[in-house]
Amino acid sequence: MAVAQETFQELRQALLADLDPEVAALLGRELERQRGQIELIASENFTWPSVLEGQASVPTNKYAEGYPGRRYYGGCEVVDEIEQLAIDRAKALFDAEHANVQPHAGAQTNMAVYFSCLQPGDTILAMRLDHGGHLTHGLKVNFSGRLYDIATYGVDRETNLIDFDEVARVAHERRPKLIVCGGSAYSRAIEADRFREIADEVGALLLCDMAHFAGLVAAGLLPNPTPHCDFVTSTTHKTLAGPRSGFILCREEHALAVDKAVFPGMQGGPLEHTIAAKATCFKIAASAGFRAYQTQVRANADALADSLVDGGLDLLTGGTDTHLVQVDLRRGDWTGKDAEERLHEVKITANRNTVPFDERPPTVASGLRLGTPAVTMRGFQEQDLHEVGSVICEALADDADLGPLAQRSRALCERNPLYPGFRGYATYAA
Ligand SMILES: *Cc1c(COP(=O)(O)O)cnc(C)c1O
């Protein structure tokens, strides 16, 4: 095999496929895996080719500790403009007073907000993880649960909607310094205005973690939490469809503390190539095309919900306001884990999830969390989601014949090709 890595000169010129066929083959296989299955993991998406280009770009070579105009390194004149563009676009998109686009991912956004306004031992009030929160909202083994005193609220046992009486009661009892709303597995709109009222009653700061639904907010399909919150955090790679990363929005009065918490508080050099890709993601998210995409994400989530209910499955809250649908398997024999594995056999990728008041451990769980951002990105429409829903329901039947079901999934994928222009594992690979 001609592997061009014998000399320094060869190393400087070699592209991946020649230099490292092993990794190149794995990347190619991952592209084929993504193309060949129905991706229903609600937190995943297929980003834009333009974003992939930004992420594979040369600012990866640049150190830029600090902020635009205030760096600890020379040569930052261009990355300053990249980062300022990302900041300005994020602020405009969500109507925010301040934006920090340096957090490497969603977890870092929440860590930075906590560091900016809390001392270890301070109380945070957040949604219980098994009711739809996130591990950075106070899981015991996460930094959040180790550093802070965590008070929790959940959903109502009957409606599965956030129990605002409980939020208010616990807030008055525990007097949190920070209230967190938003989560990873809640299929209804987050009413930040109602959380604001409770936060004001007890003198707490308010954070909305819109990691999951930021894309729907950007498109105007869910209410923007920013006017009601001291802080808003988000990923960029879920509904927002950008690079794997995060950003923080906040009121001007918290700007300095948030910036200091991110750097030098918890991160070193920012990933300016990813920040370039975030700038592109924000530009796209402000467009009419993006609004059309998100409108289809919503329509597809409703179509999926309808077809699952028609097929006899239970959904938490009966449906969705967002991109995600939560199947409650408690009435039948399936566990979340077994259902996840069965769907894998028919070329559908999903993840098990606890349902509120679940009696099974999270590794087994009694629910499935399904989302439509990724399939919508590859072109699925309502009739396709009806077909997906019927494949799911038939796959979970006792006498399921899996071969023909996998074939129906494959046919859907073939009708809606992912990254049809890509020749290799990257946008412009030979
Ligand atoms: C996904 C998610 C995060 C964390 O994002 P990572 O990029 O995985 O670190 C934080 N909060 C919520 C609500 C999420 O859904």
Side-chain angles (χ1 to χ4, degrees):
M1 205 177 345
V3 181
Q5 54 186 346
E6 293 309 312
T7 69
F8 176 45
Q9 188 57 23
E10 282 169 341
L11 287 177
R12 291 204 300 174
Q13 290 172 352
L15 293 178
L16 186 60
D18 297 323
L19 180 83
D20 192 347
E22 236 177 321
V23 165
L26 288 168
L27 295 180
R29 273 176 54 201
E30 174 58 12
L31 174 60
E32 289 313 312
R33 186 197 67 80
Q34 292 183 15
R35 282 173 164 163
Q37 45 88 54
I38 295 178
E39 183 55 75
L40 292 181
I41 293 177
S43 51
E44 292 193 9
N45 211 332
F46 301 121
T47 195
W48 316 101
S50 54
V51 164
L52 288 176
E53 280 187 76
Q55 275 215 288
S57 66
V58 293
T60 191
N61 299 327
K62 189 73 199 92
Y63 249 112
E65 285 179 355
Y67 289 98
R70 294 172 285 134
R71 304 284 191 184
Y72 292 84
Y73 287 82
C76 288
E77 60 275 12
V78 180
V79 293
D80 273 6
E81 286 189 45
I82 291 172
E83 188 168 338
Q84 194 58 52
L85 196 56
I87 291 168
D88 293 342
R89 286 177 178 173
K91 285 165 63 178
L93 188 60
F94 295 104
D95 203 14
E97 292 176 11
H98 181 76
N100 186 307
V101 297
Q102 291 193 1
H104 300 330
Q108 284 73 13
T109 66
N110 291 335
M111 183 183 254
V113 168
Y114 301 164
F115 281 13
S116 78
C117 66
L118 302 175
Q119 293 300 321
D122 281 350
T123 303
I124 298 173
L125 172 59
M127 194 175 195
R128 275 193 283 287
L129 184 60
D130 60 343
H131 286 212
H134 187 258
L135 60 143
T136 56
H137 299 178
L139 181 70
K140 270 202 171 60
V141 296
N142 182 260
F143 80 92
S144 54
R146 296 176 62 184
L147 285 183
Y148 304 105
D149 170 45
I150 304 294
T152 61
Y153 60 87
V155 299
D156 179 89
R157 205 179 258 279
E158 296 301 313
T159 62
N160 288 300
L161 299 173
I162 288 171
D163 181 349
F164 279 97
D165 292 337
E166 186 186 21
V167 179
R169 182 173 49 72
V170 180
H172 282 271
E173 268 168 29
R174 300 286 294 274
R175 296 270 153 185
K177 211 160 174 185
L178 178 71
I179 297 178
V180 182
C181 61
S184 300
Y186 188 69
S187 60
R188 295 295 174 175
I190 294 296
E191 296 166 283
D193 51 340
R194 295 183 71 182
F195 280 99
R196 178 81 256 171
E197 281 174 27
I198 295 168
D200 286 344
E201 283 169 26
V202 299
L205 294 164
L206 181 62
L207 161 65
C208 180
D209 180 350
M210 62 172 184
H212 253 269
F213 57 90
L216 292 160
V217 172
L221 300 175
L222 281 177
N224 183 3
T226 313
H228 306 293
C229 296
D230 297 277
F231 312 95
V232 174
T233 54
S234 183
T235 59
T236 43
H237 50 275
K238 297 181 182 175
T239 48
L240 210 44
R244 181 164 300 281
S245 199
F247 65 101
I248 303 168
L249 307 171
C250 69
R251 294 188 174 164
E252 194 56 49
E253 62 188 291
H254 304 300
L256 197 60
V258 163
D259 286 353
K260 279 168 117 172
V262 174
F263 174 84
M266 48 171 286
Q267 288 189 173
L271 312 178
E272 292 293 345
H273 56 303
T274 301
I275 292 174
K278 272 184 258 196
T280 302
C281 151
F282 296 140
K283 178 183 172 131
I284 293 171
S287 69
F290 187 78
R291 196 183 147 81
Y293 161 63
Q294 291 295 343
T295 303
Q296 191 66 52
V297 167
R298 275 288 307 117
N300 284 351
D302 287 341
L304 179 62
D306 288 347
S307 68
L308 295 174
V309 169
D310 288 348
L313 292 174
D314 293 336
L315 304 183
L316 293 180
T317 80
T320 177
D321 298 332
T322 68
H323 61 295
L324 73 85
V325 172
Q326 288 173 283
V327 181
D328 179 354
L329 296 165
R330 282 175 295 189
R331 201 160 46 83
D333 297 331
W334 287 94
T335 67
K337 179 172 186 287
D338 291 340
E340 177 191 306
E341 286 165 7
R342 171 58 67 89
L343 293 185
H344 182 73
E345 292 181 63
V346 297
K347 298 268 165 207
I348 291 177
T349 309
N351 68 289
R352 75 194 78 160
N353 216 84
T354 52
V355 295
F357 312 100
D358 207 327
E359 282 167 12
R360 295 191 174 106
T363 46
V364 181
S366 302
L368 280 176
R369 191 185 63 160
L370 309 175
T372 54
V375 289
T376 305
M377 190 59 93
R378 64 187 293 169
F380 282 42
Q381 299 191 337
E382 289 94 323
Q383 70 274 14
D384 302 315
L385 272 296
H386 281 291
E387 169 72 352
V388 170
S390 100
V391 170
I392 291 174
C393 292
E394 290 180 43
L396 298 181
D398 286 339
D399 51 355
D401 187 0
L402 301 183
L405 292 172
Q407 190 44 46
R408 282 163 66 188
S409 293
R410 245 178 254 117
L412 278 165
C413 291
E414 278 160 21
R415 275 207 300 283
N416 298 280
L418 173 65
Y419 296 133
F422 285 20
R423 279 171 296 154
Y425 44 79
T427 44
Y428 35 70

